[in-house]
Amino acid sequence: MDNYEYIIEMKHITKRFPRIVANDDVSISIKKGEIYALLGENGAGKTTIMSVLFGMYEPDEGEIYIRGEKVNITSPRQATMLGIGMVQQHFRLISNYTVTENIILGSEPQNKLFGFIPHVDIKKSNAEIAALSEKYGLKVDPLAVISDLNVSTQQRVEILKMLYRDAEILIFDEPTAVLTPQEIEFLLEIIRGLRDSGKTIIIITHKLEEIKAIADRCAILNHGRLIDIKDVKDTSTTELARLMVGHEVSFTVDKEEARPGDTVLKVENLTVCNEQGYKAVDDVSFEIHSGEIFALAGVAGNGQNELADAIAGLKQVRSGKIVLDGLDITGMSIRERIENGMSYIPEDRQKVGLIMGFSLKDNLAVRKYYTDSFSHHTIINDQTFDEHGKRLIDDYDIRSSDGNSTIVRAMSGGNQQKAMIAREIDMKGKLIVVMQPTRGLDVGAISNIHKRIVAERDRGAAILLISLELDEVMNCADTIGVIYDGRINRIAKASELTVNEVGNYMMGVSRSEVKDGRDDMQKEGGEGA
Amino acid sequence: MIDSIIIDGLAFALPMFIMAIGGIFSEKSGITNLAIEGLQGFGAFTGAFAMVILTNAMGTGTQVPYYISFLVAAAGGMIYSMVHVILCIRFKANQVISGVVVNILAMALTSFLTRRLNLMIFGETSNKFILETSVRYDVPVLSEIPFIGAAFKRVYPFEILIVIIAVIAWYVMYRTPYGMHLRACGDNPHAADAAGIDVGRVQMIAIVLSGGLSAIGGMCYAYSISANFSPDIYLGLGYLAIAALIFGNWSILPTLGACLLFGFARSIGHEVIKNLGMPSTYNDLVRTLPYVVTLLLLIFFSKNNRAPRALGEVYFRGKR
Amino acid sequence: MKKLMVRLLSGEKHQMFRISVFAVVISLIFGAAVLLMIATNPFASYLNLLQGSGLAPKRSYAGMRNMFTDFMSFLDAMTPMIFASLSVMVALKGGLFNIGVSGMMLVSSFCATALVGYSSLSAGIARPLVLIIGIVSGALVGAIIGALKFKFNINEVVSSIMLNYIFMYVLTFFINSYYLDPVSRQSINISDSARLTIIDIKAFGLKFDVPLAFILAILAAFIIRFVMNRTTIGYEIKAVGLSPAAANYAGINIRKNILLTMVVSGALAGLAGVTYYCGYVGSIQPGVVPGLGFNAIAVALLGCSDPIGCILASFLITVISKGSIYMSSQQGVEIELADLITAFILIFSACSGFIKEYTDKVERQLKEKNFNEKKGGAQA
């Protein structure tokens, strides 16, 4: 019956975007029932080529064959009809709909009221979804509303969405980016189960361990080009890494032993509420010393944003105290905090960190524009703006088409990030709050930024590094704090904790339980090597 | 006195309610719709024009032109709403600006056309289409009930029409696949797109529906408070409808409450002035009441408003 | 056609200006089409617009009048338009959409009329007082809208529209009750010494009006431009307008800036009010929300949110509205045509962002194609 060798064949796909060729003559072929990985750094073109397959983009050149037949996929709807499903990195869920409503959206079973008035048959759907989740072991409550669910459950909803549409080809875009090690393990188990029931799986990732753990074959992309296709079991992790980056890489951050000095930041019994009035940060206390990197680990949405915003003054505190270098700053305005030596690199550079419609030099001056040399009696001193911008652009290698006067919106994500980091580090503050500094950056840029952060530590700054990437936490931290559901679950010297312990604390496991389980978990201990 | 407060209040509130329902459809699909003001005016213009032509042709003895004029108004509003569709969806213009543009164009276009058509067809220089006020009925039995019976006295036929449309609108919004798609687009268009929903099409239909509904609302006002079509139809009632739906939290029933409040504020004011024997100039002060009430209500209630999440967001497919 | 459009509109230099010109040309073509449809000569009609504005000579003039008379009257009409468009523009820079210019104009001119317009103060005191009252009352209304925005989260569009109607009705009540001229059905004309336009001056054998505030309007545009581009005040307002979250993060006080933006915008709208009602017209018509406040939106959009652009756009829109009276009388067409053409301009200006992106995209494609062709040629 299957008179084709490959279920998917993408031949000579080229996709151009303004200023960039995202896919350059990429050809891949995937067999039915295999787990196929696409490996590459951010910006390598992995997501683009899968978006082409899923009908989100139309390729500029190239052909696609599904089950041996040439197809022209112009919309996700058509991809769905061809049996292709995709879980995107940012979940595509309607926040105020129930699980069932989200799954059936776009292909709702209908019934006729009084035999002629059409309506959505929600009762039948609820039963169907319950049965489906049972069948694949994906536990969800069909009646739960999406905004009440955690990330890993939302991901299960996304998977069910594909299964409900009888997808045979399942694409996962960076499915583990937001999960804890334990959740990752569980997800990989689910994926294996799906493969065993005959589905074809494509997984986009830049995490080598996952590929080793699960994939059969692996295509490596770099700068839009296909570098190689490897059988995973015959290829070492270091070989894969070399292919991905294009040169040898070391995974560790070179840094000397920390020499902590005086306490710079002292957070005492801090409680912060989110918009819904929920205690997102609940009675949190910790201290950071000068010359110390305090890394806060945790799964997304456990209060990290609120904590960082509260320290930086973007969010009001319900109770508790924040002391910066002996000065109580709890009630201070944002500007007063800045003037007292605080820098903040927020997670969302596009909405918060940068004014996208401003020029680069205006953005670089955003912390200082009102100070003496930048303006006099409110009249702006252009020369200072220019010189300040030029200096940072040179020092931090910020690349843009027009230098100082480039509108920031027109810059690449990596360079936007560099600009923001340059500006904040240049403040030479006593405390630097850094949130997800390397999100969306490639390996080279990441190690550069890590070096900068370590250099700041060695200069004597206290650094609060908030990261969802466990690797980053393990590599950079002198001290690790783990936050779970708004509470600090554990604080310890970095050298005293293993990856798995941190992962357990991130799941809310208490300290005594972690101790007991220590011996059972050794698998991922060598991650850093 | 209570009777006329209820009767006038309803006659003012219900047309506003149907405009607000149109607005809810559009805004729930993610498109900010300030264009209601222009849509109702344009709808009233086409409807009134049809009425004038039809009465000329068929005489005044029949109710047929009256009902046809509503259909024509709705069609006019729907066609005119395509301007908002094209600006917002095709040209990705700022939706607030587009709405204002649509309103200004409606004012200019209908005033120009009214004069022109009057001149061409009737040889008159007038900026009005004169209509008769609509007939009114007492609903048998129900209108006999003391106190609440007033709600069924001297009822305009369109009031009943509006109630029926409101029920259908609720059903479409919350029970049909289209309604489900529509609300999804307003919350997360990317998700809707990924689920195979044509976001642009859903939003287009929503805007066009809102055009039709607003037009019916405008036609009601032309038949009730002014008894003609003239540029005076642009009284900001469309904007009041928007305030009502904001105050009603983008849900149909609470929005009805808001509309009733505006309507009764107005009718109570008028009654007070009439009964106290104040000069008619004071009516101008009473006319401010719905607007003042709107502002006050917004002051107290807009803090805990929950607008559709993607409202006003220009949707680009490729955007990640 | 496509290539021509791209050639004309792409490239960074003065791109927005060129797109605005493009929008105007397209609108005039649309307007010409409408004129043709009603069997009127568009060229003659457009010439009438210029003639009515004193920019081209009419065939005949009444005694002691010539083109200069018309031109001075044109400047008189243009003055409030400049202020009103600056008001909309400043608000846009701060991320706010001020559709309340009309209401502000009514309030400011009414306050000035009631307080100074009927007094016997000498011109040297009355005129500055009118300006000051205009500024202060307009700014107050702006402050209300700003406060409603940041304190109660009320969209400025909704609140300013509500205020427009509230002010209109309240003023109608007061004018009808206390200040009505029974013949003109408008408020009684204000005294000449308070009026910001000197009416019917006789000089050089001519009779003409002198709009005293015109210079002030031009000056205001340059001041606003300086403040917006070269001071930290403008820097903060623009930052808040572009991204409130990022501005807040930078330590900029959002509330203060929203309020400041609306106060400045209101003050300018107030000036528009007094220069219109207490200058150009001399009295207030009850029961009408002035359309100038809405046309100002068209002007601000057309002027690419630049003060100097606003002056140019004011010039154009005033030619259309002012000249339409003459056009109407000469061609026998409806005076509403002017509003229609203005509305066309507004529509095409609203699309300017799209036009910009579209031409940029097509330009890139053409470049790429040329590049590929060249490459292909080289290989062959």
Side-chain angles (χ1 to χ4, degrees):
Chain A
M1 199 176 124
D2 293 351
N3 54 357
Y4 50 85
E5 188 183 356
Y6 294 105
I7 189 165
I8 303 166
E9 280 180 279
M10 300 183 80
K11 292 186 178 169
H12 308 293
I13 302 290
T14 296
K15 174 69 194 169
R16 297 187 195 92
F17 286 119
R19 291 176 307 152
I20 191 166
V21 183
N23 290 138
D24 188 359
D25 193 21
V26 175
S27 302
I28 51 174
S29 310
I30 299 166
K31 289 181 210 142
K32 187 171 159 58
E34 72 174 333
I35 298 180
Y36 194 90
L38 287 176
L39 178 66
E41 296 189 62
N42 286 296
K46 305 166 297 205
T47 303
T48 307
I49 191 148
M50 284 302 109
S51 300
V52 167
L53 180 60
F54 191 54
M56 312 265 291
Y57 301 133
E58 284 181 60
D60 294 314
E61 287 163 35
E63 294 168 341
I64 302 173
Y65 294 83
I66 304 288
R67 299 179 193 89
E69 274 174 46
K70 184 164 188 273
V71 289
N72 190 11
I73 308 174
T74 53
S75 70
R77 184 176 206 108
Q78 204 186 343
T80 307
M81 288 193 298
L82 288 165
I84 304 170
M86 181 163 177
V87 179
Q88 272 141 13
Q89 199 174 356
H90 299 285
F91 298 155
R92 301 289 155 97
L93 296 169
I94 313 295
S95 62
N96 56 359
Y97 277 20
T98 65
V99 168
T100 299
E101 285 172 332
N102 264 289
I103 293 172
I104 64 173
L105 186 68
S107 42
E108 304 85 358
Q110 292 185 31
N111 206 341
K112 296 266 193 310
L113 193 67
F114 312 126
F116 70 100
I117 304 172
H119 70 103
V120 180
D121 194 343
I122 201 80
K123 268 193 199 133
K124 186 175 140 210
S125 310
N126 281 332
E128 270 177 17
I129 302 306
L132 194 68
S133 77
E134 187 76 18
K135 180 176 163 196
Y136 287 98
L138 293 158
K139 230 176 129 269
V140 284
D141 172 11
L143 294 176
V145 175
I146 291 297
S147 52
D148 298 337
L149 300 176
N150 67 18
V151 180
S152 98
T153 317
Q154 290 187 5
Q155 192 174 48
R156 291 206 281 277
V157 177
E158 284 281 12
I159 298 172
L160 281 171
K161 239 161 94 175
M162 298 191 293
L163 298 173
Y164 181 78
R165 286 165 174 71
D166 296 323
E168 285 194 328
I169 300 160
L170 310 182
I171 308 167
F172 291 86
D173 189 356
E174 302 275 0
T176 59
V178 288
L179 304 181
T180 64
Q182 288 75 10
E183 286 171 338
I184 291 173
E185 200 48 50
F186 185 62
L187 175 72
L188 296 185
E189 211 40 61
I190 291 173
I191 291 179
R192 279 189 204 103
L194 291 169
R195 190 238 342 244
D196 295 344
S197 63
K199 310 283 186 193
T200 306
I201 313 272
I202 305 172
I203 177 165
I204 300 172
T205 183
H206 61 257
K207 292 190 183 163
L208 302 165
E209 313 83 50
E210 282 162 22
I211 291 184
K212 283 304 272 183
I214 195 170
D216 299 314
R217 287 196 304 148
C218 164
I220 299 117
L221 294 172
N222 192 345
H223 287 103
R225 290 204 187 81
L226 180 65
I227 301 299
D228 208 342
I229 296 174
K230 291 280 182 191
D231 273 329
V232 171
K233 61 178 185 299
D234 303 335
T235 318
S236 71
T237 314
T238 34
E239 172 71 0
L240 287 174
R242 194 185 57 76
L243 288 168
M244 174 169 87
V245 183
H247 54 83
E248 296 288 341
V249 281
S250 75
F251 287 104
T252 48
V253 178
D254 293 324
K255 64 175 174 124
E256 291 168 21
E257 195 61 31
R259 286 186 300 272
D262 300 336
T263 302
V264 173
L265 178 75
K266 194 168 173 187
V267 173
E268 283 176 39
N269 308 103
L270 189 71
T271 298
V272 186
C273 292
N274 65 10
E275 273 90 35
Q276 286 80 42
Y278 178 78
K279 282 184 187 168
V281 176
D282 191 0
D283 195 24
V284 163
S285 303
F286 62 92
E287 278 182 23
I288 308 179
H289 306 87
S290 82
E292 179 189 37
I293 298 177
F294 182 101
L296 189 70
V299 180
N302 273 291
Q304 296 98 321
N305 292 60
E306 287 82 359
L307 179 65
D309 283 354
I311 293 173
L314 270 62
K315 219 178 187 81
Q316 281 211 325
V317 166
R318 163 67 73 86
S319 62
K321 235 163 94 173
I322 305 167
V323 181
L324 177 64
D325 209 15
L327 190 69
D328 185 348
I329 60 165
T330 318
M332 279 189 186
S333 72
I334 297 168
R335 179 153 293 169
E336 285 169 312
R337 291 174 206 231
I338 297 169
E339 284 169 351
N340 278 301
M342 183 186 299
S343 291
Y344 178 29
I345 297 168
E347 179 181 22
D348 191 339
R349 59 176 173 250
Q350 306 213 337
K351 274 216 182 81
V352 179
L354 295 167
I355 298 167
M356 301 301 278
F358 263 16
S359 66
L360 182 54
K361 70 172 170 185
D362 281 352
N363 263 298
L364 290 172
V366 105
R367 296 287 205 193
K368 293 182 172 165
Y369 69 92
Y370 62 94
T371 54
D372 262 349
S373 60
F374 282 77
S375 59
H376 189 64
H377 293 306
T378 80
I379 292 170
I380 283 173
N381 184 343
D382 267 340
Q383 205 189 340
T384 320
F385 270 64
D386 280 338
E387 284 166 4
H388 177 72
K390 274 208 192 85
R391 184 170 59 79
L392 291 185
I393 289 171
D394 291 345
D395 282 6
Y396 290 82
D397 189 29
I398 304 165
R399 293 186 198 166
S400 61
S401 56
D402 264 340
N404 256 335
S405 47
T406 316
I407 301 299
V408 168
R409 190 192 315 282
M411 290 167 46
S412 73
N415 280 299
Q416 289 173 356
Q417 187 76 7
K418 274 196 220 163
M420 194 168 72
I421 289 175
R423 181 186 70 205
E424 294 307 309
I425 287 183
D426 184 61
M427 299 288 292
K428 300 272 175 262
K430 296 177 211 155
L431 169 70
I432 308 178
V433 180
V434 194
M435 185 137 187
Q436 288 279 74
T438 56
R439 194 175 68 161
L441 300 187
D442 58 42
V443 172
I446 290 176
S447 81
N448 230 325
I449 283 172
H450 286 166
K451 268 185 212 145
R452 293 275 184 190
I453 292 174
V454 171
E456 282 307 292
R457 179 198 74 169
D458 294 343
R459 178 180 62 79
I463 292 172
L464 172 58
L465 169 67
I466 301 176
S467 179
L468 305 176
E469 304 277 342
L470 210 40
D471 296 352
E472 185 164 80
V473 169
M474 299 310 292
N475 281 333
C476 298
D478 300 317
T479 311
I480 295 176
V482 186
I483 191 166
Y484 173 75
D485 196 18
R487 287 166 176 275
I488 299 263
N489 203 4
R490 178 90 162 96
I491 295 179
K493 283 237 150 43
S495 51
E496 292 168 7
L497 291 170
T498 67
V499 174
N500 261 301
E501 283 173 306
V502 176
N504 272 316
Y505 290 122
M506 283 162 66
M507 295 290 284
V509 180
S510 73
R511 194 169 167 189
S512 54
E513 290 170 275
V514 174
K515 279 248 157 73
D516 295 342
R518 196 171 216 177
D519 304 330
D520 308 337
M521 304 200 183
Q522 297 161 329
K523 236 185 89 226
E524 286 181 71
E527 191 167 31
Chain B
M1 179 178 152
I2 302 262
D3 274 15
S4 51
I5 287 176
I6 293 179
I7 291 167
D8 291 349
L10 279 177
F12 184 78
L14 287 174
M16 180 177 296
F17 179 45
I18 196 170
M19 291 193 229
I21 292 176
I24 291 175
F25 267 78
S26 166
E27 302 220 332
K28 276 268 185 191
S29 80
I31 303 280
T32 307
N33 196 351
L34 289 177
I36 291 179
E37 174 76 359
L39 295 173
Q40 62 93 23
F42 196 89
F45 160 77
T46 48
F49 180 58
M51 184 67 180
V52 171
I53 296 286
L54 287 172
T55 2
N56 253 21
M58 301 169 71
T60 47
T62 161
Q63 282 290 301
V64 176
Y66 176 77
Y67 292 102
I68 293 180
S69 69
F70 275 102
L71 285 178
V72 175
M78 286 165 123
I79 292 167
Y80 184 64
S81 67
M82 287 308 289
V83 177
H84 197 47
V85 170
I86 291 168
L87 285 177
C88 291
I89 298 173
R90 177 72 186 87
F91 289 127
K92 318 263 183 220
N94 177 316
Q95 293 167 10
V96 172
I97 290 177
S98 168
V100 173
V101 170
V102 167
N103 295 342
I104 292 176
L105 179 66
M107 260 184 261
L109 199 59
T110 55
S111 332
F112 168 70
L113 286 176
T114 311
R115 271 192 194 281
R116 196 77 216 170
L117 292 170
N118 268 324
L119 190 70
M120 277 165 54
I121 298 170
F122 308 110
E124 293 167 11
T125 45
S126 157
N127 67 344
K128 288 189 170 89
F129 291 132
I130 310 284
L131 308 170
E132 285 178 24
T133 37
S134 166
V135 289
R136 311 177 96 164
Y137 301 102
D138 286 352
V139 181
V141 189
L142 290 176
S143 58
E144 308 297 320
I145 306 170
F147 192 65
I148 29 168
F152 302 98
K153 270 186 210 146
R154 294 175 43 71
V155 171
Y156 290 111
F158 60 69
E159 294 183 44
I160 295 161
L161 180 76
I162 289 168
V163 172
I164 294 169
I165 291 177
V167 174
I168 296 173
W170 181 88
Y171 186 86
V172 169
M173 178 79 88
Y174 292 102
R175 288 291 178 268
T176 64
Y178 174 71
M180 206 164 144
H181 297 176
L182 182 138
R183 287 177 291 129
C185 290
D187 185 83
N188 186 346
H190 301 278
D193 192 1
I197 294 167
D198 184 339
V199 177
R201 194 166 152 268
V202 167
Q203 292 180 331
M204 181 185 90
I205 295 173
I207 296 174
V208 169
L209 279 177
S210 120
L213 294 177
S214 304
I216 293 174
M219 198 64 223
C220 296
Y221 282 126
Y223 275 126
S224 56
I225 51 177
S226 62
N228 65 38
F229 171 83
S230 77
D232 290 341
I233 197 101
Y234 300 101
L235 274 179
L237 298 173
Y239 294 117
L240 275 184
I242 293 160
L245 75 90
I246 293 174
F247 174 50
N249 227 342
W250 290 267
S251 315
I252 291 176
L253 209 57
T255 300
L256 173 62
C259 293
L260 289 176
L261 202 64
F262 299 163
F264 290 137
R266 198 181 113 105
S267 59
I268 288 171
H270 277 304
E271 278 306 304
V272 167
I273 285 187
K274 206 161 76 187
N275 283 285
L276 294 181
M278 289 151 108
S280 66
T281 43
Y282 281 83
N283 276 327
D284 280 321
L285 286 184
V286 170
R287 294 204 176 102
T288 63
L289 275 175
Y291 307 97
V292 173
V293 170
T294 305
L295 263 188
L296 290 178
L297 286 178
L298 287 176
I299 286 173
F300 289 114
F301 291 99
S302 58
K303 271 233 161 122
N304 30 19
N305 259 337
R306 292 181 63 179
R309 273 205 320 164
L311 181 61
E313 198 178 274
V314 177
Y315 178 60
F316 289 98
R317 195 142 201 217
K319 204 174 97 181
R320 277 183 279 181
Chain C
M1 179 66 203
K2 199 166 158 186
K3 273 190 186 167
L4 181 72
M5 192 172 141
V6 171
R7 263 251 299 286
L8 289 175
L9 301 179
S10 65
E12 277 178 18
K13 207 172 173 207
H14 304 307
Q15 187 184 17
M16 291 317 281
F17 174 74
R18 280 179 286 144
I19 289 176
S20 284
V21 172
F22 174 75
V24 170
V25 171
I26 295 280
S27 309
L28 290 179
I29 293 172
F30 265 69
V34 174
L35 283 164
L36 281 174
M37 269 191 277
I38 57 174
T40 309
N41 180 345
F43 293 105
S45 305
Y46 287 161
L47 181 63
N48 289 155
L49 292 181
L50 294 177
Q51 290 169 328
S53 308
L55 298 166
K58 291 178 189 167
R59 228 172 299 147
S60 64
Y61 287 95
M64 293 191 75
R65 291 175 187 277
N66 71 5
M67 212 172 101
F68 184 71
T69 315
D70 286 341
F71 183 67
M72 289 307 274
S73 175
F74 165 78
L75 291 186
D76 201 6
M78 182 177 159
T79 305
M81 185 59 98
I82 295 174
F83 282 124
S85 61
L86 287 176
S87 165
V88 175
M89 187 224 81
V90 167
L92 279 179
K93 286 270 181 206
L96 300 164
F97 194 69
N98 184 4
I99 192 172
V101 173
S102 301
M104 294 165 169
M105 285 172 65
L106 284 172
V107 170
S108 64
S109 58
F110 179 75
C111 292
T113 302
L115 294 172
V116 185
Y118 305 131
S119 69
S120 51
L121 292 171
S122 70
I125 301 172
R127 285 190 181 126
L129 217 51
V130 166
L131 286 174
I132 290 167
I133 292 172
I135 290 172
V136 172
S137 51
L140 271 176
V141 178
I144 294 174
I145 295 172
L148 288 173
K149 168 99 181 173
F150 76 69
K151 252 193 129 70
F152 301 108
N153 186 25
I154 299 177
N155 188 309
E156 75 279 5
V157 174
V158 175
S159 64
S160 50
I161 288 167
M162 296 298 126
L163 288 174
N164 278 349
Y165 287 101
I166 293 172
F167 292 139
M168 188 267 279
Y169 282 122
V170 172
L171 259 56
T172 303
F173 167 75
F174 280 113
I175 291 171
N176 284 337
S177 306
Y178 306 106
Y179 302 105
L180 194 69
D181 180 336
V183 180
S184 67
R185 307 299 302 167
Q186 306 210 347
S187 68
I188 302 160
N189 265 9
I190 63 168
S191 69
D192 284 347
S193 60
R195 193 160 168 180
L196 296 176
T197 303
I198 306 174
I199 301 292
D200 286 346
I201 275 197
K202 289 191 188 102
F204 323 116
L206 281 173
K207 241 190 191 170
F208 55 90
D209 303 342
V210 180
L212 294 171
F214 180 73
I215 303 296
L216 194 63
I218 302 292
L219 202 63
F222 280 92
I223 293 172
I224 297 281
R225 188 173 209 228
F226 181 82
V227 171
M228 279 298 159
N229 295 342
R230 307 269 301 120
T231 70
T232 53
I233 302 167
Y235 182 90
E236 290 190 357
I237 288 180
K238 284 187 290 181
V240 173
L242 287 167
S243 171
N248 179 46
Y249 157 81
I252 295 170
N253 187 333
I254 305 283
R255 296 167 157 232
K256 191 190 96 185
N257 275 289
I258 288 181
L259 199 62
L260 179 68
T261 306
M262 278 319 293
V263 164
V264 174
S265 175
L268 288 163
L271 283 169
V274 290
T275 50
Y276 185 69
Y277 287 114
C278 306
Y280 180 59
V281 187
S283 67
I284 304 172
Q285 188 185 0
V288 173
V289 177
L292 190 120
F294 299 103
N295 283 348
I297 298 167
V299 175
L301 289 181
L302 191 62
C304 322
S305 300
D306 178 85
I308 309 305
C310 282
I311 296 180
L312 297 176
S314 297
F315 183 86
L316 181 82
I317 300 288
T318 313
V319 166
I320 295 171
S321 63
K322 175 83 180 156
S324 66
I325 303 164
Y326 187 66
M327 175 179 80
S328 163
S329 69
Q330 291 292 303
Q331 307 288 335
V333 296
E334 290 74 9
I335 204 157
E336 281 88 352
L337 255 174
D339 290 335
L340 196 58
I341 295 171
T342 308
F344 286 147
I345 293 177
L346 193 50
I347 286 199
F348 291 108
S349 316
C351 297
S352 61
F354 178 83
I355 297 173
K356 177 177 154 54
E357 263 170 36
Y358 177 78
T359 50
D360 288 356
K361 198 178 88 190
V362 175
E363 189 198 14
R364 263 196 314 271
Q365 283 169 354
L366 286 177
K367 262 189 193 160
E368 232 162 56
K369 206 168 122 198
N370 285 343
F371 179 74
N372 287 344
E373 272 165 13
K374 264 183 209 154
K375 208 169 70 177
Q379 278 167 356

